[in-house]
Amino acid sequence: MRACASLTNAILNIGKTLESPFPETIGPLMKQLIKRWTPSAEAVRSNKSLRWLGPLLNRPWLWQLNRRSVSLGVAIGVFFGFLIPVLQSLFSAVFALVFRANLPVAIVSTLVSNPFTYAPIGILAYQLGSAVLGETTSPDHLSLFEDTVGEMSVTDTSAWDEILSIGKPVFLGLAIFAVVGSASAFMITNLSWRIFVASQRSRRRRQRALALQKVKEGRSDDASAEPPLR
């Protein structure tokens, strides 16, 4: 209990030293879409791997929808989605607390790795790591990913042990994927957010200009309709 309390205080102290996010507002439609595709606060708090965080999950910045928090949430989720095969939500939650990122977005972004992508990610990571290290790839190692991908689970780690036994090439490839993927995800999300907000502002300006033009036309019509003074 003391260890958990100490870790909790440490996370809070780190979070307080970071700069608060500067919100860049989006429309209600985009907020509804993000909330629709991310888990609710109740679902996150009831997650078995996150319950130990307790009151930390009540921090308001974990649920804010602004450019900084969402971009960081995507980057954190993609990073741990590539880097580690298990407890991705737990690590994403801790780093979301530290860096004041959106927690539901971070959790959803870990799904970049899932039962459908485990084998391709593993094979590509192994090939990339082998190329960087100057090693040749083994057909037996490549087939290992395809044979064990259906047996991967959080509770049974035997399949993971077989894959991780390959060693440095896999670790290096996954690390490169994690760094490059998270950086790319952050920049793409940040840029997409800016473009969306700019388009919203441009549309609002056009609507205001059109409304003002209609008002002016209405006034000119009223003035022309007035009878001349005698």
Side-chain angles (χ1 to χ4, degrees):
M1 294 297 294
R2 291 183 178 179
C4 291
S6 301
L7 180 59
T8 299
N9 292 331
I11 293 174
L12 282 174
N13 291 333
I14 294 174
K16 289 178 181 179
T17 61
L18 296 176
E19 184 180 5
S20 299
F22 294 94
E24 191 166 326
T25 58
I26 55 175
L29 178 60
M30 179 59 73
K31 289 184 178 180
Q32 291 176 3
L33 290 175
I34 294 177
K35 290 180 179 180
R36 180 182 301 175
W37 291 101
T38 55
S40 63
E42 292 76 13
V44 172
R45 294 189 179 99
S46 62
N47 189 301
K48 293 182 180 180
S49 64
L50 303 180
R51 288 178 183 173
W52 66 276
L53 292 172
L56 288 175
L57 296 179
N58 295 325
R59 298 298 163 182
W61 61 76
L62 292 176
W63 316 100
Q64 289 181 344
L65 288 175
N66 56 66
R67 176 170 53 84
R68 179 184 180 277
S69 65
V70 172
S71 299
L72 280 174
V74 174
I76 290 171
V78 170
F79 181 83
F80 287 107
F82 278 123
L83 187 64
I84 56 178
V86 295
L87 300 178
Q88 298 166 336
S89 297
L90 173 60
F91 283 98
S92 296
V94 172
F95 277 78
L97 279 164
V98 172
F99 292 101
R100 300 194 171 211
N102 185 282
L103 178 55
V105 170
I107 292 176
V108 169
S109 299
T110 62
L111 295 177
V112 65
S113 62
N114 56 71
F116 297 101
T117 61
Y118 285 149
I121 290 175
I123 292 173
L124 292 174
Y126 171 59
Q127 292 175 334
L128 176 61
S130 298
V132 173
L133 294 173
E135 300 179 0
T136 57
T137 58
S138 169
D140 294 335
H141 288 162
L142 292 174
S143 62
L144 181 62
F145 291 98
E146 299 177 358
D147 296 338
T148 59
V149 66
E151 304 173 5
M152 294 179 177
S153 67
V154 176
T155 55
D156 183 8
T157 59
S158 58
W160 294 111
D161 293 338
E162 292 183 22
I163 290 178
L164 295 180
S165 65
I166 298 175
K168 290 182 181 179
V170 176
F171 289 119
L172 179 59
L174 291 176
I176 294 174
F177 281 172
V179 173
V180 175
S182 62
S184 301
F186 179 86
M187 290 187 291
I188 291 173
T189 305
N190 198 299
L191 179 61
S192 300
W193 192 287
R194 289 180 180 273
I195 293 174
F196 181 81
V197 172
S199 64
Q200 273 194 326
R201 291 175 177 173
S202 178
R203 185 175 65 254
R204 289 171 184 169
R205 284 195 296 266
R206 290 196 301 268
Q207 290 175 346
R208 285 196 295 266
L210 182 60
L212 182 61
Q213 182 180 356
K214 290 182 178 180
V215 170
K216 290 181 178 179
E217 291 177 353
R219 289 179 179 176
S220 62
D221 293 340
D222 293 340
S224 60
E226 290 181 358
L229 296 176
R230 294 183 180 178

